Amino acid sequence: MSYAIIGFGAVGQALAHTFARKNIDVAVASRRPAEALAPQARAIGPGVVAKSLRDALEADTIILAVPFGEHREVAKALPSWEGKTVIDATNAFGVLVEELDGLPSSAFVAKAFTGAKLVKGFNHLVAATLAADPIVEGGHRVVFLSSDDEDAIAPVAALAKRLGFAPVTLGKLNEGGALVHARGRTWGQLIFQDLSKKEQ
Ligand SMILES: NC(=O)c1ccc[n+]([C@@H]2O[C@H](COP(=O)([O-])OP(=O)(O)OC[C@H]3O[C@@H](n4cnc5c(N)ncnc54)[C@H](OP(=O)(O)O)[C@@H]3O)[C@@H](O)[C@H]2O)c1
């Protein structure tokens, strides 16, 4: 498996720290050229490699850590998303429900990434918490995963475990997944809940 984080702001950098902590290689990219991101990437760890957006998108598994509205631009960068897994870490707080065609935000994002397997995850914690060591007193920090594609969740759960988190699967995006979605002025009930589990 190869991994890339698209968006290298608060969440992208937080996630890069989690990969670096476990020595798992990850590409990072934004709209800026790789050279502009490289010093910050290197400072996080030797396995965090800044790439151009196009090169980073060669990874099998892509974590989306851009402002919600920018997902379309990222989606346009590849002619086909067949064979890719997209982990949607975005939140659509402040986006009107009508602008999402009435869908959960990640189902709306999934429409732009035609052919990809999409899993919502790593979106419910503030960046500083996400960046911190997920091995906490009492066990492993919980991340919630949801998807309309049941097969897509297992490899993302395996990645979450490798990173030290305890994945908790919520089911489909408009079922359990609704608890970790933001829409309009409403945050899902599990967003910001920093929970831990004894076992991964
Ligand atoms: N901040 C949090 O605590 C937090 C927690 C959970 C989830 N989230 C969600 O995570 C997402 C990112 O939030 P953030 O706080 O990390 O935002 P941020 O600090 O503003 O970072 C956004 C990053 O996305 C890049 N970017 C913007 N448009 C892009 C495009 N079209 N293609 C590639 N890269 C692009 C920006 O870099 P360039 O300008 O160089 O392109 C920047 O590195 C949001 O959807 C947010 O709702 C945030």
Side-chain angles (χ1 to χ4, degrees):
M1 284 292 229
S2 51
Y3 303 102
I5 301 166
I6 308 304
F8 197 47
V11 168
Q13 291 182 33
L15 285 166
H17 277 284
T18 70
F19 278 78
R21 188 177 291 114
K22 297 292 184 181
N23 295 314
I24 304 171
D25 290 346
V26 65
V28 295
S30 80
R31 292 170 296 192
R32 282 174 289 156
E35 307 81 69
L37 308 183
Q40 183 63 33
R42 267 197 301 271
I44 295 174
V48 180
V49 179
K51 293 191 176 175
S52 67
L53 181 61
R54 193 62 203 236
D55 287 350
L57 293 180
E58 283 177 14
D60 317 311
T61 301
I62 287 143
I63 307 180
L64 204 54
V66 298
F68 177 76
E70 290 295 324
H71 73 269
R72 294 183 196 82
E73 291 306 312
V74 178
K76 279 189 216 157
L78 278 189
S80 164
W81 286 85
E82 214 66 54
K84 306 274 188 196
T85 295
V86 173
I87 303 174
D88 181 16
T90 70
N91 282 320
F93 187 78
V95 180
L96 297 174
V97 178
E98 306 83 77
E99 290 175 50
L100 300 171
D101 299 340
L103 296 169
S105 68
S106 290
F108 188 80
V109 169
K111 289 205 298 182
F113 290 86
T114 318
K117 291 174 181 287
L118 185 134
V119 177
K120 185 164 191 71
F122 299 97
N123 65 296
H124 90 286
L125 296 169
V126 294
T129 306
L130 198 57
D133 191 342
I135 304 194
V136 289
E137 204 183 331
H140 299 261
R141 179 167 283 121
V142 165
V143 287
F144 296 109
L145 303 178
S146 50
S147 178
D148 287 342
D149 187 339
E150 279 176 36
D151 296 347
I153 293 187
V156 179
L159 169 65
K161 284 185 182 179
R162 279 183 77 195
L163 294 173
F165 293 95
V168 171
T169 301
L170 297 176
K172 295 207 164 155
L173 298 173
N174 68 353
E175 295 173 359
L179 295 168
V180 284
H181 269 88
R183 287 201 303 186
R185 308 304 295 172
T186 311
W187 291 104
Q189 286 159 295
L190 289 178
I191 294 190
F192 306 129
Q193 298 295 325
D194 185 14
L195 307 176
S196 64
K197 259 180 85 190
K198 274 210 170 61
E199 308 292 331
Q200 277 188 300

